[in-house]
Amino acid sequence: MPMADATSLREHKKRQTRNALADAAFDIVRTQGAERLTAEAIADRAGVSRRTFFNYFPSVDAAVAQSVEQLLDQLTETLDSRPSDEVVWDTLEAMLSGPEGSALMERIAVLGAAGEHSAARHLAHDHVQAFVDWLAQWLTTRLGPDTNEVYAVTLAATVAAAAEATLRVWFRRTGGQITPRSLALHQELLVQALTLLRTGFDEGTR
């Protein structure tokens, strides 16, 4: 095998292992709770050793953050594929109602449902902050270099606040149970929240 091919294969395997560890971290939170999230548990779920885990991540939080970065990369591809002249609100609604947006919102919902545990609250906060930073950057790129930074960050933070408000309503209605039906409700509530923002909380949208 040529050296270039061998190097490419090694890099591919490294990415696979890194992604498997990140996926395992979130899966543990989803199925067992944030209190069960340890390096040993993640490594075991991914089928590698604890030492291998620390070869890829310095901490458990870093593994969870990696899973978020994967989703944000997918969201970037989805957003970039939308028409360049599309109204930003249309783009955001399409993003959050699509499969990549559903995956991100599911993760936030899972962590929100586990929010009584301090680790879950911390991870959920990190998810939201990563989303705000990413969306503000994307808006600046999409709207052009002359875009007011305050506008981009405020819009991103407002969308995130709508997502957090939606999570509270969803939790009260479902008790935090993660089922296809409850996740569909979460998505529906989020679209309602975005509509309120878009219309300036017009009375006719209540």
Side-chain angles (χ1 to χ4, degrees), residues 134-203:
W134 164 81
L135 183 56
Q137 180 58 51
W138 181 85
L139 286 168
T140 300
T141 301
R142 173 66 176 270
L143 299 175
D146 295 331
T147 301
N148 187 314
E149 182 181 7
V150 173
Y151 171 83
V153 175
T154 300
L155 178 54
T158 301
V159 171
E164 290 188 285
T166 296
L167 186 60
R168 293 185 182 186
V169 176
W170 170 81
F171 189 82
R172 282 200 295 269
R173 293 189 184 182
T174 66
Q177 292 186 344
I178 305 298
T179 66
R181 187 172 182 177
S182 74
L183 291 173
L185 173 63
H186 183 252
Q187 204 76 0
E188 177 186 334
L189 292 171
L190 181 59
V191 171
Q192 289 181 26
L194 290 178
T195 300
L196 286 172
L197 292 178
R198 184 173 188 170
T199 61
F201 290 85
D202 179 67
E203 200 168 319

Side-chain angles (χ1 to χ4, degrees), residues 40-59:
E40 291 82 357
I42 295 171
D44 185 62
R45 180 65 63 95
V48 299
S49 68
R50 183 177 185 276
R51 180 177 180 180
T52 296
F53 172 85
F54 284 109
N55 285 339
Y56 285 87
F57 296 106
S59 66

Side-chain angles (χ1 to χ4, degrees), residues 7 36 44 133:
T7 300
R36 301 281 183 168
D44 185 62
D133 291 344

